[in-house]
Amino acid sequence: MRRNTVVIVALVVTVLLPMWYVALHGEPPSEEVAIDESVTELRPLQGVADTPNKLSPSQVGVVVWVALFGLVGVLTAVHRFMNEAVRPPDDASPAVSADGGTEVVSLPWLQTDHRWIVAYHDATDAIEGLLAMGGLTVLAIVFAALFTGEYLTLGRTQYFGIYATGMFVSLALSTVAYYAWFMPHIEVAEQRGHDR
């Protein structure tokens, strides 16, 4: 990690932590409103984890910021995985060489007079990618079925958010797996200053 990045992260943490500490202690807890169990079997306040039943605006702001930072971390990890985890090794011979060698592949929709392919590595088509996409597809179907069943049967505890999140995350990760294992890796060079 570069020194500038460490300094920026340290400054952000130094500013945010005191603000978050004050914000998280700014609202006293409130009593939970009980539901008459003789009238309905719904338990909408039950969940997989104990959570407060009331949040102040400042506490909501902290939660939103933490979620955004988490999202940035997830996107960074996914980007690195797609571009490094299954990328061809440096010593792999590309289909197109940068020194004007023979072209094995031609992509007329990508190549112009000022843009050309430097390196082309075909998709790995590894069995790991097939297993990952198959597992994620099954997982998305399971979450979709759970979501539908929860909606139609009005279950005792509602986990609509968890099921919907699992379904969409599974679909997103299956897209990532497809890009990583079943899309070719192409490096393109482009000449700048076309009018010279």
Side-chain angles (χ1 to χ4, degrees):
M1 186 180 290
R2 293 180 297 180
R3 182 173 177 270
N4 293 341
T5 305
V6 174
V7 172
I8 292 174
V9 171
L11 288 174
V12 171
V13 169
T14 303
V15 172
L16 288 182
L17 284 183
M19 296 172 59
W20 286 0
Y21 178 81
V22 174
L24 290 175
H25 293 80
E27 184 77 10
S30 60
E31 296 183 3
E32 180 178 321
V33 178
I35 296 177
D36 189 354
E37 298 181 4
S38 64
V39 178
T40 177
E41 294 184 355
L42 291 178
R43 305 291 183 268
L45 298 179
Q46 294 182 2
V48 294
D50 292 333
T51 56
N53 51 22
K54 182 180 180 181
L55 291 174
S56 66
S58 57
Q59 291 171 327
V60 172
V62 173
V63 172
V64 170
W65 273 107
V66 171
L68 288 175
F69 283 135
L71 179 61
V72 170
V74 169
L75 291 177
T76 302
V78 167
H79 183 267
R80 289 197 173 188
F81 171 79
M82 289 191 301
N83 289 284
E84 295 179 7
V86 293
R87 176 179 290 218
D90 295 335
D91 55 353
S93 58
V96 181
S97 58
D99 56 357
T102 303
E103 292 188 1
V104 181
V105 62
S106 177
L107 302 174
W109 50 269
L110 186 62
Q111 295 171 286
T112 66
D113 294 338
H114 303 286
R115 184 174 61 240
W116 61 94
I117 299 176
V118 175
Y120 178 93
H121 295 276
D122 204 359
T124 60
D125 295 337
I127 189 65
E128 294 86 355
L130 189 61
L131 292 175
M133 287 197 62
L136 289 167
T137 302
V138 171
L139 197 61
I141 294 172
V142 169
F143 277 120
L146 289 172
F147 183 90
T148 305
E150 191 81 5
Y151 178 78
L152 295 178
T153 60
L154 293 178
R156 299 174 67 88
T157 55
Q158 288 102 23
Y159 298 122
F160 293 119
I162 296 176
Y163 296 153
T165 301
M167 179 176 59
F168 289 118
V169 168
S170 301
L171 292 173
L173 291 179
S174 64
T175 304
V176 171
Y178 179 80
Y179 175 87
W181 276 290
F182 300 102
M183 292 287 288
H185 171 66
I186 306 174
E187 294 183 11
V188 178
E190 186 174 8
Q191 182 180 3
R192 298 298 178 92
H194 301 167
D195 54 345
R196 295 179 183 177

Short mmCIF file of all heavy atoms in Angstrom, two decimals, residues 53-90:
data_model
loop_
_atom_site.label_atom_id
_atom_site.label_comp_id
_atom_site.label_asym_id
_atom_site.label_seq_id
_atom_site.Cartn_x
_atom_site.Cartn_y
_atom_site.Cartn_z
N ASN A 53 -34.40 -1.25 18.30
CA ASN A 53 -35.70 -0.99 17.68
C ASN A 53 -35.93 0.48 17.41
O ASN A 53 -37.00 0.87 16.95
CB ASN A 53 -36.83 -1.54 18.57
CG ASN A 53 -36.69 -1.06 20.01
OD1 ASN A 53 -36.04 -0.04 20.26
ND2 ASN A 53 -37.27 -1.79 20.95
N LYS A 54 -34.94 1.31 17.69
CA LYS A 54 -35.06 2.73 17.39
C LYS A 54 -33.67 3.30 17.13
O LYS A 54 -32.72 3.01 17.86
CB LYS A 54 -35.71 3.48 18.56
CG LYS A 54 -35.92 4.96 18.30
CD LYS A 54 -36.57 5.64 19.48
CE LYS A 54 -36.78 7.13 19.24
NZ LYS A 54 -37.39 7.81 20.41
N LEU A 55 -33.53 4.09 16.09
CA LEU A 55 -32.26 4.71 15.73
C LEU A 55 -32.48 6.20 15.54
O LEU A 55 -33.48 6.62 14.94
CB LEU A 55 -31.68 4.11 14.46
CG LEU A 55 -31.19 2.66 14.52
CD1 LEU A 55 -30.79 2.19 13.14
CD2 LEU A 55 -30.02 2.52 15.49
N SER A 56 -31.53 6.98 16.02
CA SER A 56 -31.58 8.42 15.79
C SER A 56 -31.04 8.73 14.40
O SER A 56 -30.35 7.89 13.79
CB SER A 56 -30.75 9.15 16.85
OG SER A 56 -29.38 8.84 16.70
N PRO A 57 -31.33 9.91 13.87
CA PRO A 57 -30.77 10.26 12.54
C PRO A 57 -29.26 10.19 12.49
O PRO A 57 -28.69 9.79 11.47
CB PRO A 57 -31.28 11.69 12.33
CG PRO A 57 -32.53 11.78 13.14
CD PRO A 57 -32.28 10.91 14.35
N SER A 58 -28.58 10.57 13.58
CA SER A 58 -27.12 10.49 13.58
C SER A 58 -26.63 9.05 13.53
O SER A 58 -25.64 8.73 12.87
CB SER A 58 -26.55 11.20 14.82
OG SER A 58 -27.11 10.63 16.00
N GLN A 59 -27.34 8.15 14.24
CA GLN A 59 -26.96 6.74 14.18
C GLN A 59 -27.21 6.15 12.80
O GLN A 59 -26.41 5.35 12.31
CB GLN A 59 -27.74 5.97 15.25
CG GLN A 59 -27.33 6.31 16.67
CD GLN A 59 -28.24 5.69 17.70
OE1 GLN A 59 -29.44 5.54 17.46
NE2 GLN A 59 -27.70 5.35 18.85
N VAL A 60 -28.30 6.56 12.18
CA VAL A 60 -28.57 6.09 10.82
C VAL A 60 -27.46 6.57 9.87
O VAL A 60 -27.03 5.83 8.98
CB VAL A 60 -29.95 6.60 10.35
CG1 VAL A 60 -30.16 6.29 8.87
CG2 VAL A 60 -31.05 5.98 11.18
N GLY A 61 -27.01 7.80 10.06
CA GLY A 61 -25.91 8.30 9.23
C GLY A 61 -24.65 7.47 9.37
O GLY A 61 -23.97 7.17 8.37
N VAL A 62 -24.33 7.06 10.59
CA VAL A 62 -23.15 6.22 10.79
C VAL A 62 -23.32 4.88 10.09
O VAL A 62 -22.40 4.38 9.42
CB VAL A 62 -22.89 6.01 12.30
CG1 VAL A 62 -21.77 5.01 12.53
CG2 VAL A 62 -22.55 7.33 12.97
N VAL A 63 -24.49 4.29 10.22
CA VAL A 63 -24.75 3.00 9.58
C VAL A 63 -24.62 3.13 8.06
O VAL A 63 -24.03 2.26 7.39
CB VAL A 63 -26.15 2.48 9.96
CG1 VAL A 63 -26.51 1.24 9.16
CG2 VAL A 63 -26.21 2.17 11.45
N VAL A 64 -25.14 4.21 7.50
CA VAL A 64 -25.06 4.40 6.05
C VAL A 64 -23.61 4.55 5.60
O VAL A 64 -23.19 3.95 4.60
CB VAL A 64 -25.89 5.63 5.64
CG1 VAL A 64 -25.62 5.99 4.18
CG2 VAL A 64 -27.37 5.36 5.84
N TRP A 65 -22.82 5.33 6.35
CA TRP A 65 -21.42 5.50 5.98
C TRP A 65 -20.65 4.19 6.07
O TRP A 65 -19.83 3.87 5.20
CB TRP A 65 -20.76 6.56 6.87
CG TRP A 65 -20.95 7.95 6.35
CD1 TRP A 65 -21.76 8.92 6.84
CD2 TRP A 65 -20.30 8.52 5.20
NE1 TRP A 65 -21.68 10.05 6.08
CE2 TRP A 65 -20.79 9.84 5.07
CE3 TRP A 65 -19.38 8.06 4.28
CZ2 TRP A 65 -20.37 10.69 4.05
CZ3 TRP A 65 -18.97 8.89 3.25
CH2 TRP A 65 -19.46 10.19 3.15
N VAL A 66 -20.89 3.41 7.12
CA VAL A 66 -20.22 2.12 7.25
C VAL A 66 -20.60 1.20 6.09
O VAL A 66 -19.76 0.50 5.52
CB VAL A 66 -20.57 1.47 8.61
CG1 VAL A 66 -20.06 0.04 8.66
CG2 VAL A 66 -19.96 2.29 9.76
N ALA A 67 -21.89 1.22 5.71
CA ALA A 67 -22.33 0.41 4.58
C ALA A 67 -21.68 0.85 3.28
O ALA A 67 -21.28 0.02 2.46
CB ALA A 67 -23.86 0.49 4.46
N LEU A 68 -21.52 2.16 3.10
CA LEU A 68 -20.87 2.66 1.87
C LEU A 68 -19.41 2.26 1.83
O LEU A 68 -18.90 1.84 0.77
CB LEU A 68 -21.02 4.18 1.80
CG LEU A 68 -22.42 4.71 1.47
CD1 LEU A 68 -22.44 6.24 1.54
CD2 LEU A 68 -22.88 4.24 0.11
N PHE A 69 -18.71 2.38 2.96
CA PHE A 69 -17.31 1.95 3.00
C PHE A 69 -17.20 0.45 2.73
O PHE A 69 -16.28 -0.01 2.04
CB PHE A 69 -16.68 2.30 4.34
CG PHE A 69 -16.32 3.76 4.47
CD1 PHE A 69 -16.62 4.46 5.63
CD2 PHE A 69 -15.67 4.43 3.45
CE1 PHE A 69 -16.29 5.80 5.75
CE2 PHE A 69 -15.34 5.77 3.56
CZ PHE A 69 -15.65 6.45 4.73
N GLY A 70 -18.14 -0.32 3.29
CA GLY A 70 -18.14 -1.75 3.02
C GLY A 70 -18.37 -2.06 1.56
O GLY A 70 -17.74 -2.95 0.99
N LEU A 71 -19.28 -1.30 0.92
CA LEU A 71 -19.54 -1.49 -0.50
C LEU A 71 -18.31 -1.18 -1.34
O LEU A 71 -18.00 -1.90 -2.30
CB LEU A 71 -20.72 -0.62 -0.93
CG LEU A 71 -21.13 -0.69 -2.40
CD1 LEU A 71 -21.54 -2.11 -2.77
CD2 LEU A 71 -22.26 0.28 -2.70
N VAL A 72 -17.61 -0.11 -0.99
CA VAL A 72 -16.37 0.22 -1.71
C VAL A 72 -15.35 -0.90 -1.57
O VAL A 72 -14.68 -1.29 -2.53
CB VAL A 72 -15.80 1.55 -1.20
CG1 VAL A 72 -14.40 1.79 -1.75
CG2 VAL A 72 -16.71 2.71 -1.57
N GLY A 73 -15.24 -1.47 -0.36
CA GLY A 73 -14.33 -2.58 -0.15
C GLY A 73 -14.70 -3.80 -0.98
O GLY A 73 -13.82 -4.45 -1.58
N VAL A 74 -15.99 -4.10 -1.04
CA VAL A 74 -16.44 -5.25 -1.82
C VAL A 74 -16.17 -5.03 -3.30
O VAL A 74 -15.68 -5.93 -4.00
CB VAL A 74 -17.94 -5.51 -1.57
CG1 VAL A 74 -18.49 -6.52 -2.56
CG2 VAL A 74 -18.16 -5.99 -0.15
N LEU A 75 -16.47 -3.83 -3.82
CA LEU A 75 -16.22 -3.54 -5.23
C LEU A 75 -14.73 -3.61 -5.56
O LEU A 75 -14.34 -4.09 -6.62
CB LEU A 75 -16.78 -2.16 -5.58
CG LEU A 75 -18.30 -2.03 -5.57
CD1 LEU A 75 -18.72 -0.59 -5.86
CD2 LEU A 75 -18.94 -2.97 -6.58
N THR A 76 -13.88 -3.14 -4.64
CA THR A 76 -12.44 -3.22 -4.86
C THR A 76 -11.98 -4.67 -4.92
O THR A 76 -11.18 -5.05 -5.80
CB THR A 76 -11.69 -2.48 -3.73
OG1 THR A 76 -12.13 -1.12 -3.70
CG2 THR A 76 -10.20 -2.53 -3.95
N ALA A 77 -12.47 -5.50 -3.99
CA ALA A 77 -12.09 -6.91 -3.99
C ALA A 77 -12.56 -7.61 -5.26
O ALA A 77 -11.82 -8.39 -5.86
CB ALA A 77 -12.67 -7.59 -2.75
N VAL A 78 -13.79 -7.32 -5.70
CA VAL A 78 -14.31 -7.94 -6.92
C VAL A 78 -13.50 -7.50 -8.14
O VAL A 78 -13.17 -8.31 -9.01
CB VAL A 78 -15.81 -7.57 -7.09
CG1 VAL A 78 -16.29 -7.93 -8.48
CG2 VAL A 78 -16.64 -8.29 -6.04
N HIS A 79 -13.15 -6.22 -8.19
CA HIS A 79 -12.36 -5.72 -9.32
C HIS A 79 -11.00 -6.39 -9.37
O HIS A 79 -10.53 -6.79 -10.45
CB HIS A 79 -12.21 -4.20 -9.20
CG HIS A 79 -11.48 -3.57 -10.35
ND1 HIS A 79 -10.12 -3.36 -10.33
CD2 HIS A 79 -11.92 -3.14 -11.56
CE1 HIS A 79 -9.75 -2.82 -11.47
NE2 HIS A 79 -10.82 -2.67 -12.23
N ARG A 80 -10.36 -6.53 -8.23
CA ARG A 80 -9.04 -7.18 -8.21
C ARG A 80 -9.15 -8.65 -8.59
O ARG A 80 -8.29 -9.20 -9.27
CB ARG A 80 -8.41 -7.04 -6.83
CG ARG A 80 -7.98 -5.62 -6.53
CD ARG A 80 -7.01 -5.57 -5.38
NE ARG A 80 -6.48 -4.23 -5.20
CZ ARG A 80 -5.51 -3.94 -4.37
NH1 ARG A 80 -4.97 -4.87 -3.62
NH2 ARG A 80 -5.07 -2.70 -4.26
N PHE A 81 -10.22 -9.30 -8.14
CA PHE A 81 -10.40 -10.71 -8.49
C PHE A 81 -10.57 -10.87 -9.99
O PHE A 81 -9.95 -11.74 -10.61
CB PHE A 81 -11.62 -11.27 -7.76
CG PHE A 81 -12.01 -12.65 -8.21
CD1 PHE A 81 -11.31 -13.75 -7.77
CD2 PHE A 81 -13.06 -12.83 -9.11
CE1 PHE A 81 -11.65 -15.02 -8.20
CE2 PHE A 81 -13.40 -14.09 -9.54
CZ PHE A 81 -12.70 -15.20 -9.08
N MET A 82 -11.40 -10.04 -10.60
CA MET A 82 -11.65 -10.17 -12.03
C MET A 82 -10.41 -9.91 -12.86
O MET A 82 -10.24 -10.48 -13.94
CB MET A 82 -12.77 -9.22 -12.46
CG MET A 82 -14.14 -9.61 -11.96
SD MET A 82 -15.48 -8.67 -12.74
CE MET A 82 -15.04 -7.00 -12.29
N ASN A 83 -9.53 -9.03 -12.38
CA ASN A 83 -8.38 -8.64 -13.18
C ASN A 83 -7.07 -9.30 -12.79
O ASN A 83 -6.08 -9.17 -13.50
CB ASN A 83 -8.20 -7.11 -13.11
CG ASN A 83 -9.28 -6.37 -13.86
OD1 ASN A 83 -9.27 -6.30 -15.07
ND2 ASN A 83 -10.23 -5.83 -13.13
N GLU A 84 -7.05 -10.02 -11.65
CA GLU A 84 -5.79 -10.62 -11.21
C GLU A 84 -5.90 -12.10 -10.88
O GLU A 84 -4.98 -12.86 -11.14
CB GLU A 84 -5.26 -9.87 -9.97
CG GLU A 84 -4.89 -8.43 -10.26
CD GLU A 84 -4.40 -7.70 -9.00
OE1 GLU A 84 -4.24 -8.37 -7.96
OE2 GLU A 84 -4.18 -6.49 -9.07
N ALA A 85 -7.01 -12.54 -10.30
CA ALA A 85 -7.09 -13.91 -9.81
C ALA A 85 -6.98 -14.93 -10.94
O ALA A 85 -6.27 -15.92 -10.81
CB ALA A 85 -8.39 -14.11 -9.03
N VAL A 86 -7.68 -14.71 -12.02
CA VAL A 86 -7.66 -15.67 -13.12
C VAL A 86 -7.03 -15.07 -14.38
O VAL A 86 -7.23 -15.58 -15.48
CB VAL A 86 -9.10 -16.15 -13.44
CG1 VAL A 86 -9.64 -16.97 -12.30
CG2 VAL A 86 -10.01 -14.98 -13.73
N ARG A 87 -6.26 -14.00 -14.20
CA ARG A 87 -5.58 -13.40 -15.35
C ARG A 87 -4.43 -14.32 -15.79
O ARG A 87 -3.81 -14.98 -14.96
CB ARG A 87 -5.01 -12.03 -14.97
CG ARG A 87 -4.20 -11.38 -16.08
CD ARG A 87 -3.70 -10.03 -15.65
NE ARG A 87 -4.81 -9.09 -15.54
CZ ARG A 87 -4.72 -7.81 -15.91
NH1 ARG A 87 -3.59 -7.34 -16.37
NH2 ARG A 87 -5.75 -7.02 -15.79
N PRO A 88 -4.17 -14.41 -17.07
CA PRO A 88 -3.07 -15.27 -17.52
C PRO A 88 -1.75 -14.83 -16.89
O PRO A 88 -1.53 -13.64 -16.64
CB PRO A 88 -3.03 -15.04 -19.04
CG PRO A 88 -4.40 -14.54 -19.38
CD PRO A 88 -4.86 -13.77 -18.18
N PRO A 89 -0.87 -15.79 -16.57
CA PRO A 89 0.42 -15.42 -15.98
C PRO A 89 1.25 -14.57 -16.92
O PRO A 89 1.04 -14.56 -18.13
CB PRO A 89 1.09 -16.78 -15.71
CG PRO A 89 0.39 -17.74 -16.64
CD PRO A 89 -1.01 -17.23 -16.77
N ASP A 90 2.20 -13.83 -16.32
CA ASP A 90 3.01 -12.91 -17.12
C ASP A 90 3.83 -13.62 -18.20
O ASP A 90 4.16 -13.04 -19.23
CB ASP A 90 3.94 -12.10 -16.21
CG ASP A 90 3.15 -11.19 -15.27
OD1 ASP A 90 2.01 -10.83 -15.64
OD2 ASP A 90 3.67 -10.86 -14.19
#
